Amino acid sequence: MKARLPKEYQRKSQSEIIKQAQEMQQNITDLQAELDEREFSASVDGDLVKVTVTGKHEIKSIEISEDLIEDAKDDKEMLEDMIIAAVNKAITLATDTCDSEMDKITGGLNIPGFSF
């Protein structure tokens, strides 16, 4: 036989759960807005190429050192590879940071309907 709580306790518990879920949703929304605007930078080969992206994975800037530009005149492919590597590094940093920050709020739960 299952023990049941009186209805007034059940309602209170359900309303508390709803309130907690609403608070979590607001915290997630606020954090997502903050992370979308945050900038993440990564560089390759000792800052020869530095890329900055937002939490939305939009590229804000690409900086290429003058030395690399001089050296890359004869090796365009090397320069392209370095830019790709820096972009991928910055995006990975943004993604990992966003995931980590969201996990602090959600406790690592994968909540349907929420995309982080």
Side-chain angles (χ1 to χ4, degrees), residues 6-104:
K7 286 194 182 239
E8 61 269 14
Y9 291 114
Q10 290 176 358
R11 285 190 194 117
K12 185 175 181 183
S13 295
Q14 289 173 349
S15 67
E16 286 177 1
I17 291 170
I18 291 170
K19 182 180 177 188
Q20 287 176 335
Q22 289 170 337
E23 288 174 4
M24 182 185 289
Q25 181 179 10
Q26 186 60 51
N27 291 341
I28 289 170
T29 301
D30 294 345
L31 179 60
Q32 188 64 58
E34 176 195 331
L35 291 171
D36 285 349
E37 296 302 315
R38 193 181 296 179
E39 293 184 358
F40 303 89
S41 297
S43 60
V44 294
D45 289 339
D47 289 341
L48 291 177
V49 176
K50 182 179 177 183
V51 174
T52 301
V53 300
T54 67
K56 290 182 180 181
H57 302 161
E58 295 172 343
I59 297 172
K60 294 288 283 186
S61 68
I62 298 175
E63 300 172 27
I64 303 170
S65 78
E66 292 295 327
D67 294 337
L68 181 59
I69 291 172
E70 286 296 318
D71 292 344
K73 283 184 180 179
D74 298 325
D75 196 354
K76 176 183 167 226
E77 198 171 299
M78 175 193 67
L79 178 58
E80 292 169 344
D81 289 344
M82 292 178 77
I83 292 169
I84 290 169
V87 168
N88 287 336
K89 225 172 148 179
I91 289 172
T92 298
L93 175 63
T95 300
D96 291 349
T97 302
C98 292
D99 289 348
S100 174
E101 293 292 319
M102 282 297 174
D103 283 350
K104 290 177 186 176

